[in-house]
């Protein structure tokens, strides 16, 4: 029995020393790297932050695809605003879609068709809305701050200041 154990203990050492029969080779070049179309057609996506119903007030990032219209036909804006940060925040105020609701996501932001602008300045992201913001709950504020920071800079750590019709919130950072 000891002989079997000793043999079992030595087997990994023997395999390590012999290298399992694999010989070293030089790099073999076989051509250019593959090119893959990861966003076919005129579709992009944005990241929105909704509230999980399963855990109290926990924000969950959701990737939302955005179909971009054909060139020159951007209702209510330009190509830059249609697929950019403005579009992401506008979608956030529309709330979760049917499939997102079915998975237990909700929003604490009021449903609203809003007019907005988002700018990136030396102090961070500035969001201007045509709605009240100081009465928003802390969770609603975080939804807005995280979505705006991610959409404008791809960095949730960027400071965000939100200016509404009733005052200013922030600068604040995404807590997610």
């Amino acid at each position: 029995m000891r002989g079997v154990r000793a043999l079992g203990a030595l087997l990994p050492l023997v395999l390590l020393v012999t290298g399992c029969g694999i010989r070293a080779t030089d790099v073999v070049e076989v051509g250019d790297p593959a090119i893959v179309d990861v966003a076919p057609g005129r579709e992009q996506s944005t990241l929105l932050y909704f509230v999980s119903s399963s855990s109290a007030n926990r924000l969950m990032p959701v990737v939302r695809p955005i179909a971009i219209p054909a060139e020159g036909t951007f209702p209510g804006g330009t190509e830059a605003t249609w697929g950019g940060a403005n579009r992401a925040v506008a979608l956030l105020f529309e709330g979760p879609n049917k499939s997102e609701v079915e998975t237990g996501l909700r929003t604490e932001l009021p449903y609203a068709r809003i007019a907005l602008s988002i700018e990136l300045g030396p102090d961070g992201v500035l969001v201007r809305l045509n709605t009240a913001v100081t009465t928003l709950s802390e969770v609603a504020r975080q939804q807005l701050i995280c979505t705006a920071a991610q959409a404008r800079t791809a960095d949730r750590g960027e400071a965000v200041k939100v200016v509404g019709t009733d005052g200013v919130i922030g600068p604040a950072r995404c807590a997610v």
Side-chain angles (χ1 to χ4, degrees):
M1 186 64 138
R2 285 186 185 193
V4 173
R5 284 186 188 168
L7 184 58
L10 288 176
L11 183 60
L13 182 60
V14 170
L15 289 175
L16 182 64
V17 172
T18 62
C20 299
I22 299 173
R23 290 186 227 131
T25 62
D26 291 333
V27 174
V28 178
E29 294 191 31
V30 293
D32 293 331
I35 297 174
V36 179
D37 189 8
V38 294
R42 298 204 39 90
E43 187 175 285
Q44 291 183 351
S45 62
T46 190
L47 199 58
L48 308 176
Y49 287 83
F50 290 118
V51 184
S52 171
S53 296
S54 63
S55 68
N57 300 331
R58 181 172 175 221
L59 292 187
M60 300 293 293
V62 174
V63 177
R64 175 83 65 88
I66 301 173
I68 298 181
E71 287 185 43
T73 60
F74 298 96
T78 64
E79 184 171 7
T81 60
W82 183 259
N86 290 5
R87 183 74 176 138
V89 173
L91 286 171
L92 182 68
F93 272 92
E94 291 176 13
N97 62 28
K98 183 180 175 184
S99 65
E100 292 161 351
V101 169
E102 288 172 354
T103 61
L105 296 175
R106 62 183 176 81
T107 186
E108 287 209 4
L109 289 166
Y111 175 81
R113 298 273 183 191
I114 57 169
L116 68 126
S117 69
I118 300 179
E119 303 164 15
L120 181 60
D123 297 327
V125 179
L126 175 64
V127 180
R128 295 182 191 276
L129 300 170
N130 67 341
T131 189
V133 295
T134 60
T135 56
L136 294 174
S137 70
E138 184 57 34
V139 173
R141 290 177 184 206
Q142 280 296 306
Q143 280 186 263
L144 181 56
I145 289 165
C146 292
T147 299
Q150 182 74 38
R152 186 63 182 99
T153 67
D155 177 11
R156 291 186 321 266
E158 191 74 48
V160 177
K161 185 176 183 181
V162 182
V163 177
T165 57
D166 62 342
V168 178
I169 57 174
R173 297 189 191 292
C174 178
V176 176

